[in-house]
């Protein structure tokens, strides 16, 4: 995605996974946070949830909170 001109921000709740990601992709930006309540500084055009991470949300409340939060983090007509 970055090679296509997109600015990338990776988010993970695990500090250890963030460190691994930084080593593998030093040209990308990463921050520690939970996907269901992470607040971006400004809205984005798109949010991608990779490799089944959505499956870690195990209750209806977590899923609802995730979608509400994603909506807040997207620009108008943004894509999830």
């Amino acid at each position: 995605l970055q090679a296509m001109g997109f600015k990338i921000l990776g988010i993970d709740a695990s500090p250890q996974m963030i460190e691994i990601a930084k080593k593998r992709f030093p040209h990308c930006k990463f921050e520690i946070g939970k996907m269901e309540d992470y607040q971006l500084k400004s809205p984005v055009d798109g949010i991608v949830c990779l490799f089944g991470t959505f499956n870690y949300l195990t209750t209806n409340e977590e899923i609802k909170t995730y979608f509400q939060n994603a909506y807040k983090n997207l620009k108008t007509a943004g894509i999830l």
Side-chain angles (χ1 to χ4, degrees):
L1 291 173
Q2 190 173 35
M4 295 170 57
F6 293 96
K7 293 180 183 175
I8 307 299
L9 170 62
I11 299 166
D12 199 291
S14 166
Q16 294 86 1
M17 291 305 293
I18 292 292
E19 289 306 312
I20 291 169
K22 284 179 178 178
K23 289 177 185 171
R24 289 185 66 194
F25 303 98
H27 52 282
C28 294
K29 184 178 176 184
F30 298 95
E31 293 183 9
I32 299 168
K34 293 172 55 179
M35 66 180 175
E36 60 268 31
D37 61 12
Y38 186 83
Q39 292 295 306
L40 292 167
K41 293 174 181 70
S42 59
V44 295
D45 294 311
I47 298 173
V48 179
C49 190
L50 296 173
F51 309 117
T53 52
F54 186 80
N55 296 322
Y56 287 99
L57 304 176
T58 57
T59 68
N60 288 339
E61 188 59 33
E62 287 175 330
I63 293 168
K64 179 182 174 185
T65 301
Y66 169 73
F67 281 120
Q68 289 171 332
N69 190 55
Y71 179 78
K72 291 177 192 172
N73 284 316
L74 286 170
K75 292 180 181 176
T76 301
I79 298 172
L80 172 62

